[in-house]
Amino acid sequence: MNTVSMEKIVDALRLAGLLVSQDDELPATISGFVDDSRRVIDGAAFVAVHGHAQDGHDWLEAAASRGATCAIVEDPSRTLLPTLVVRDGRSAAAVAAAAFYDWPARELTLVGVTGTNGKTTTVGLLRHVLDSEASRSASIGTLGVLIGSAGVAFPGGDGL
């Protein structure tokens, strides 16, 4: 099981300007990071995100009963779990998840293509030229999510 220092999460949220306050009794480490109470594992941190149809704060009790040891919230009055209080739960979820998984986007090289005509063709050519066994290429665009030189469609990646 992967465990991550809670200090790493706190530091990331502070650096991003999202951290409002933190409880003194936060766990030293967390074993997971989730925003879906049904996916909580023992020792996980649960982040309560305000959605369009639901509010993650409504699921804090369920997360605690499934083994969450702390929560990232905008409203600390809604839980008895040790909390990190943040300004924006959605932004905090992105920053904390990136920190938990050791900043995976830092390993990516991104290229953007803009213009009036030829974007799809240009992206297809770039995906082909940049693809290798050591470093796979992919594209996201009008044709969906395509992986590798051959442009194999990523399952569930169509209809963008």
Side-chain angles (χ1 to χ4, degrees):
M1 178 186 338
N2 186 30
T3 60
V4 172
S5 162
M6 195 64 184
E7 184 178 342
K8 183 176 184 177
I9 306 300
V10 171
D11 288 346
L13 292 170
R14 184 177 292 118
L15 187 62
L18 294 166
L19 187 63
V20 174
S21 66
Q22 68 185 75
D23 280 345
D24 291 333
E25 64 265 1
L26 287 168
T29 62
I30 55 174
S31 59
F33 182 83
V34 296
D35 65 353
D36 183 338
S37 63
R38 297 167 296 186
R39 294 183 166 207
V40 170
I41 60 171
D42 283 337
F46 176 76
V47 60
V49 176
H50 287 289
H52 295 288
Q54 295 188 18
D55 180 354
H57 289 78
D58 294 338
W59 301 101
L60 284 160
E61 187 175 320
S65 71
R66 288 186 172 93
T69 55
C70 64
I72 298 174
V73 298
E74 292 177 33
D75 181 0
S77 70
R78 308 265 311 262
T79 186
L80 296 176
L81 286 169
T83 59
L84 293 173
V85 181
V86 296
R87 298 181 199 296
D88 176 352
R90 186 170 307 282
S91 295
V95 169
F100 181 84
Y101 292 105
D102 205 23
W103 305 99
R106 291 179 178 169
E107 302 298 317
L108 297 176
T109 300
L110 301 176
V111 176
V113 177
T114 64
T116 304
N117 296 310
K119 293 179 297 295
T120 301
T121 300
T122 301
V123 167
L125 291 169
L126 283 170
R127 190 182 63 252
H128 177 74
V129 169
L130 297 174
D131 191 52
S132 72
E133 288 298 319
S135 181
R136 301 307 315 257
S137 66
S139 63
I140 302 172
T142 306
L143 301 178
V145 178
L146 303 176
I147 300 174
S149 181
V152 177
F154 181 76
D158 57 334
L160 292 176

